[in-house]
Amino acid sequence: MRFIRWFEEVGRDDVALVGGKNASLGEMIRNLKEEGVNVPSGFAITAEAYKYLIQSAGIDRAIREILRDLDTHDMENLSERGSKIRRLIKNAGCPPELEKEIREAYRAMESRYGKNVDVAVRSSATAEDLPNASFAGQQESYLNVRGEDELIERVMDCFASLFTDRAISYRVDKGFDHLSVYLSVGVQKMVRSDLACAGVMFSIDPESGFRDTVYITGAYGLGECVVQGAVNPDQFYVFKPTLRKGYRPIVEKKLGAKRKKLVYRKRGGGTRQERVSKEDRNKFVLSDDEILTLAKWACIIEEHYGTPMDIEWAKDGVTNELFVVQARPETVHSQRKLAQLETYVLEEDREQLKDRLLVEGEAVGTKIGQGEVKVIQNADDINEFRPGQVLVTEMTDPDWEPIMKIAGAIVTDRGGRTCHAAIVSRELGIPCVIGTVNGTRILKDVKEVTVDCSEGVGRVYEGILKYRRNTVSLENISQTRTKIMMNIGVPDNAFVHGQIPNDGVGLAREEFIINSYIGIHPMALIDYEKLKEKAKHDRNIARLIKAIDARSTTYEDKRQFFIDNLAMGIAKIAAGFYPNDVIVRLSDFKTNEYANLLGGYLYEPIESNPMLGWRGASRYYDEHFKPAFGLECQAIKKVREEMGLTNVKVMVPFCRTPEEGRKVIEAMSEFGLKQGENELEVYVMCEIPSNVILADEFAEIFDGFSIGSNDLTQLTLGLDRDSDLVARIFDERNEAVKRLVKYAIEAAHKHVPRRKIGICGQAPSDFPEFADFLVECGIDSMSLNPDVVVSTRLHVAQTEARLAKEEQNQAD
């Protein structure tokens, strides 16, 4: 055939013939089938067919004339010219020679799949899916097309869609000549995901550019709802390095709302929307095995193409098979220069901004933007938009691209991180908050907002807030003898912070994960069945059960809810910094903090001074809390053994005596977390004077120390660091504190075998002279907040060089 190529006949070198989308489908069918990657078959109507149509109709000159006075910044001008060209192409009609070949190819598919076989008809331009230009959604696609006549009609619609308003605008921005870009059309057997689910995955984190993860989104029905942003989908992250070793490293699972789905019409072709039942909304669309299968395919596809990939997948509800239906190069982070790191920092206190927080959603990118609010509900009104305004809308589609590129920020009610709004915002470098649910309603009468994506969660604040942009050069970062590590609490930021030059995590706090990801007292989960019985006679307990069920809706076993969510939070941090050490501090809530968790009031005593009460090590072996500690141990065991993240080490906080340390080690062992097994190291916080005075005895029990300078200063000087009355006396540079720190370092290093010792307080970054003192004492590591890691590394390098020079001078 002159105008038809079966997918099995084309590959990645045939972009000029069949466009990027079709070339990629053929490439995968020909090369990845033996590796288990399923791709539905079909055929491509070549770019030669499009050229033949234009030439035989003699409309190329007319198209160029219509575009002569094009102004893509004038929405009416752009719309008028696009509409004229599309009418011109459709009125030209399909040439008889081309129509004959299309009908013959479709009949061949019918002989394989049955009469009136359902096909997807997708545009595939010769300038799309390029490493530096995605052209995402610029041309049209049609699903569940049946019969020869409808197929011919949809092919002509695709040809005309080369001149959609957004495609014309995008080509102008990217510098492509309109008449040098041609269109192929792909005709592919439909996957019956209308009876199951579909979605998008990236072989890279689309927000941070972290390359060691696969990010998967999914929702019920045909995949267009996910691509367009019509639903808030389920989200999954899988860690590639240990996946390749045979582990099961699903480091995040987030349930999406998935309120509607796109399905086949009941009669004939086409699609319709349908609501998803509450029961199905409360389930993940994929099993763990399916998540891991898709992640493995993403790795295979990425390795074949040699670049991070953006992939669409679908599950067939008839056969239960998974398929890849599209794959293209990722166009944002794969092109990013790694010579510098840009971070945005909100300079105002977030606690004090709570009253100004208007809506939250998923963050796209890590920037901060601000401006005048402009709510637009309909694409017909986009000509009202002005440069620098914050675009607020229900969802975007490719028709919105001309105004998205001039927005100060974007906020949508619906969509996930792989939807159109997210992809385009990322490519344009514009901060975007998606899936706010009610952003258009809440922001309707608000004048100005600040859109903050810098903390891993998308937040929209009222008013223009102060922020700064930090640019750190990653070239010529000094290596130091002293390890420079990070303090991390928020797993959502791990993939960003892990790219800052560092030597690992010296303090990963469990408290944030338990508070934010779980929010329920572990004993209430352990006693869930007993509490359900009590709920029959106690309204307060009944309300508690309802709240627990709402948070743990996908779990029948409520203990597993705690284990899995704590494990995933820890694993995401460990993945972001792999293979460097990640030292996870076991839970260090005080009684009043535990009481604030759901159900906490049932289990926590009231203490007059919780800071010095039932906290840290004293809880872990206590029979009243030991079962809850067991859940923590099982979570860490899962991270290390099931996910393969053996860079995780454990740290025991507030351990008052060596005997207490032995009891904790024994309790950990009872729950399967054994010191030394699978190279597990257990550290202890050095934050009580007894930890220093008996450092030699603690060194017999633990593998290392981490100095907690806040508590050590507080307990050495005998003051409450939270009291304004004595806050002026609190100073880590006090000579008594410094002597204890120096003694602890010396004791750790004298022990045989030598024990590692670091510090996880803020003092080294707040006071450069304190950092100098620690280097002089020979401390092994400093763990700091991410924003001061690079500056402290540079300072420590200078101090180490000075000390080396002084030693050399003395030797001479």
Side-chain angles (χ1 to χ4, degrees):
M1 289 184 177
R2 178 181 174 188
F3 300 119
I4 301 293
R5 293 289 185 277
W6 293 94
F7 289 153
E8 289 82 357
E9 297 177 305
V10 297
R12 70 166 106 179
D13 295 330
D14 295 310
V15 173
L17 179 65
V18 296
K21 192 177 284 118
N22 291 333
S24 183
L25 289 170
E27 180 73 16
M28 290 188 292
I29 288 173
R30 289 168 64 176
N31 295 286
L32 303 182
K33 186 175 181 180
E34 290 184 4
E35 296 197 55
V37 179
N38 294 332
V39 180
S41 188
F43 61 88
I45 302 163
T46 66
E48 293 300 319
Y50 169 79
K51 292 181 194 175
Y52 182 71
L53 162 67
I54 299 298
Q55 290 166 2
S56 63
I59 58 176
D60 49 343
R61 285 185 181 178
I63 292 173
R64 196 175 291 281
E65 180 62 25
I66 293 170
L67 294 172
R68 186 172 53 81
D69 60 347
L70 172 70
D71 180 359
T72 59
H73 297 286
D74 181 335
M75 296 301 119
E76 291 183 12
N77 177 290
L78 173 62
S79 177
E80 181 186 347
R81 274 137 192 77
S83 179
K84 280 184 179 179
I85 297 172
R86 292 193 296 274
R87 277 200 307 271
L88 199 64
I89 293 173
K90 291 179 75 170
N91 289 340
C94 187
E97 304 93 329
L98 173 58
E99 181 175 333
K100 179 174 179 291
E101 289 195 16
I102 295 172
R103 290 181 182 276
E104 286 178 5
Y106 183 74
R107 287 172 198 149
M109 287 193 72
E110 284 185 313
S111 66
R112 183 173 175 183
Y113 296 110
K115 186 70 175 172
N116 283 333
V117 56
D118 51 336
V119 294
V121 181
R122 303 182 188 276
S123 303
S124 180
T126 55
E128 74 170 3
D129 297 352
L130 306 176
N132 59 351
S134 70
F135 283 80
Q138 300 304 313
Q139 286 85 40
E140 299 293 353
S141 293
Y142 301 92
L143 303 179
N144 189 24
V145 175
R146 295 170 182 265
E148 297 173 27
D149 293 342
E150 187 181 356
L151 175 58
I152 298 295
E153 185 178 342
R154 292 311 180 198
V155 168
M156 291 302 296
D157 288 338
C158 284
F159 282 149
S161 75
L162 188 59
F163 288 92
T164 58
D165 299 353
R166 72 248 185 187
I168 295 170
S169 174
Y170 194 89
R171 283 196 294 271
V172 169
D173 289 344
K174 292 294 182 180
F176 286 84
D177 177 63
H178 297 291
L179 292 178
S180 297
V181 176
Y182 310 111
L183 195 93
S184 167
V185 179
V187 179
Q188 185 180 38
K189 172 68 180 79
M190 286 286 295
V191 175
R192 292 301 306 269
S193 60
D194 61 307
L195 303 174
C197 55
V200 178
M201 62 179 171
F202 285 80
S203 66
I204 186 174
D205 178 30
E207 303 314 323
S208 66
F210 180 64
R211 293 196 173 215
D212 280 343
T213 192
V214 175
Y215 175 66
I216 303 170
T217 60
Y220 294 111
L222 301 169
E224 301 304 292
C225 277
V226 177
V227 173
Q228 294 171 358
V231 295
N232 297 343
D234 293 343
Q235 303 176 62
F236 313 98
Y237 277 105
V238 181
F239 185 53
K240 291 192 285 191
T242 56
L243 175 71
R244 293 189 181 105
K245 294 179 180 179
Y247 291 98
R248 299 172 63 84
I250 302 172
V251 300
E252 183 172 295
K253 293 170 68 174
K254 190 178 289 186
L255 193 69
K258 311 184 296 291
R259 294 186 180 278
K260 54 188 177 182
K261 61 182 177 179
L262 196 66
V263 299
Y264 281 14
R265 291 189 185 278
K266 290 184 178 179
R267 292 184 180 84
T271 60
R272 63 185 175 87
Q273 282 195 346
E274 188 177 275
R275 292 191 67 81
V276 177
S277 69
K278 185 177 180 181
E279 182 183 1
D280 284 341
R281 292 203 308 267
N282 289 334
K283 296 176 184 175
F284 287 113
V285 297
L286 293 169
S287 69
D288 285 2
D289 286 344
E290 289 169 334
I291 294 166
L292 294 168
T293 295
L294 288 174
K296 288 172 187 173
W297 286 2
C299 292
I300 291 167
I301 294 169
E302 179 184 72
E303 286 164 10
H304 180 76
Y305 282 90
T307 188
M309 298 294 287
D310 169 358
I311 302 160
E312 292 183 29
W313 63 269
K315 180 181 177 180
D316 193 299
V318 177
T319 66
N320 288 325
E321 290 180 284
L322 292 168
F323 291 88
V324 166
V325 294
Q326 287 190 53
R328 61 183 73 84
E330 189 273 343
T331 57
V332 178
H333 297 289
S334 59
Q335 302 299 304
R336 189 183 65 174
K337 294 180 180 179
L338 298 176
Q340 63 181 29
L341 181 72
E342 183 181 72
T343 57
Y344 283 68
V345 180
L346 195 64
E347 292 190 318
E348 305 194 32
D349 189 333
R350 292 180 190 278
E351 283 297 312
Q352 295 179 8
L353 290 174
K354 283 184 176 179
D355 292 340
R356 295 174 69 175
L357 178 61
L358 300 173
V359 291
E360 288 188 350
E362 297 281 346
V364 176
T366 58
K367 293 183 177 181
I368 297 174
Q370 50 195 200
E372 179 188 359
V373 173
K374 182 64 178 177
V375 177
I376 297 181
Q377 298 281 17
N378 194 301
D380 295 338
D381 300 325
I382 63 176
N383 60 326
E384 299 175 5
F385 193 79
R386 298 292 174 261
Q389 290 182 322
V390 174
L391 173 62
V392 181
T393 185
E394 187 175 351
M395 56 181 271
T396 68
D397 63 37
D399 288 329
W400 296 66
E401 186 271 336
I403 66 168
M404 293 174 74
K405 65 188 178 187
I406 59 173
I410 297 169
V411 180
T412 73
D413 287 349
R414 292 187 278 158
R417 288 181 178 175
T418 55
C419 72
H420 174 266
I423 290 172
V424 174
S425 297
R426 221 174 272 125
E427 188 171 322
L428 296 172
I430 295 172
C432 175
V433 177
I434 50 176
T436 61
V437 179
N438 55 4
T440 52
R441 180 172 60 82
I442 299 294
L443 302 179
K444 181 174 63 174
D445 299 318
V446 178
K447 185 177 181 182
E448 294 178 318
V449 294
T450 295
V451 177
D452 178 15
C453 297
S454 65
E455 285 284 307
V457 176
R459 298 185 177 97
V460 181
Y461 295 100
E462 185 172 13
I464 303 298
L465 305 179
K466 291 180 181 178
Y467 71 90
R468 70 177 187 274
R469 185 179 70 179
N470 295 336
T471 302
V472 177
S473 174
L474 301 183
E475 296 177 336
N476 305 317
I477 291 289
S478 306
Q479 292 299 312
T480 55
R481 178 200 61 78
T482 310
K483 288 188 174 183
I484 305 300
M485 306 176 83
M486 278 192 218
N487 298 332
I488 297 289
V490 185
D492 290 339
N493 292 338
F495 293 166
V496 174
H497 292 150
Q499 295 177 70
I500 299 172
N502 70 87
D503 296 307
V505 175
L507 173 63
R509 304 178 183 93
E510 278 191 10
E511 296 83 49
F512 181 90
I513 302 169
I514 294 171
N515 219 349
S516 300
Y517 287 30
I518 300 168
I520 306 167
H521 196 288
M523 289 305 301
L525 294 169
I526 290 168
D527 291 343
Y528 176 78
E529 294 301 330
K530 294 178 184 176
L531 292 173
K532 274 184 78 174
E533 282 299 312
K534 289 183 179 179
K536 296 175 183 177
H537 313 289
D538 188 321
R539 288 184 179 179
N540 289 330
I541 301 294
R543 282 194 288 268
L544 171 61
I545 289 296
K546 187 176 181 180
I548 290 174
D549 287 343
R551 279 183 173 258
S552 59
T553 183
T554 59
Y555 286 84
E556 288 186 21
D557 182 346
K558 303 305 178 182
R559 300 181 188 212
Q560 201 62 45
F561 166 72
F562 185 96
I563 293 167
D564 287 354
N565 281 274
L566 180 56
M568 286 188 286
I570 293 170
K572 195 168 183 184
I573 296 172
F577 291 83
Y578 186 88
N580 288 332
D581 289 349
V582 171
I583 301 172
V584 177
R585 186 179 69 188
L586 298 167
S587 61
D588 193 23
F589 281 123
K590 289 78 176 174
T591 49
N592 58 325
E593 294 167 337
Y594 258 126
N596 287 332
L597 297 175
L598 284 174
Y601 72 94
L602 296 171
Y603 301 96
E604 297 298 324
I606 297 174
E607 296 184 293
S608 58
N609 192 346
M611 184 75 77
L612 298 179
W614 195 37
R615 61 176 286 202
S618 61
R619 298 181 76 98
Y620 307 150
Y621 58 87
D622 188 303
E623 293 305 319
H624 291 94
F625 189 80
K626 193 174 179 180
F629 179 61
L631 301 184
E632 288 183 48
C633 293
Q634 289 174 63
I636 293 171
K637 183 179 170 70
K638 179 174 182 174
V639 172
R640 288 174 52 83
E641 296 181 9
E642 290 186 31
M643 301 188 192
L645 290 157
T646 53
N647 58 323
V648 167
K649 301 176 187 239
V650 174
M651 183 155 65
V652 179
F654 225 74
C655 185
R656 295 173 171 95
T657 67
E659 180 57 30
E660 222 177 23
R662 292 188 186 92
K663 288 181 179 178
V664 172
I665 297 290
E666 185 179 329
M668 287 173 56
S669 183
E670 286 179 37
F671 295 113
L673 202 59
K674 298 181 180 179
Q675 185 180 26
E677 192 173 279
N678 202 13
E679 300 182 346
L680 174 63
E681 291 185 359
V682 183
Y683 284 40
V684 66
M685 288 289 292
C686 184
E687 56 190 340
I688 306 171
S690 63
N691 299 143
V692 179
I693 296 165
L694 299 177
D696 55 337
E697 293 188 36
F698 279 101
E700 289 291 328
I701 302 164
F702 295 101
D703 300 296
F705 299 84
S706 183
I707 299 167
S709 57
N710 285 343
D711 270 351
L712 186 60
T713 302
Q714 175 175 245
L715 295 172
T716 299
L717 300 180
L719 55 81
D720 179 357
R721 68 174 188 254
D722 293 330
S723 170
D724 293 337
L725 299 174
V726 292
R728 67 187 185 282
I729 307 171
F730 185 92
D731 192 338
E732 298 95 326
R733 296 168 295 177
N734 182 281
E735 188 59 31
V737 179
K738 289 174 68 177
R739 287 189 188 185
L740 287 175
V741 168
K742 184 176 182 181
Y743 182 83
I745 295 170
E746 290 172 349
H749 289 168
K750 281 180 184 175
H751 189 271
V752 180
R754 183 181 186 274
R755 298 303 190 195
K756 296 175 188 173
I757 184 165
I759 188 169
C760 57
Q762 194 62 13
S765 56
D766 290 344
F767 309 113
E769 67 272 27
F770 195 79
D772 294 343
F773 162 72
L774 293 170
V775 174
E776 290 166 3
C777 291
I779 199 161
D780 296 308
S781 64
M782 299 182 198
S783 192
L784 313 151
N785 288 346
D787 59 335
V788 293
V789 162
V790 172
S791 59
T792 305
R793 181 185 286 277
L794 295 173
H795 179 81
V796 167
Q798 293 173 352
T799 303
E800 289 181 352
R802 174 178 59 78
L803 292 175
K805 188 174 181 180
E806 289 173 2
E807 288 178 12
Q808 184 63 45
N809 290 338
Q810 289 177 1
D812 293 342

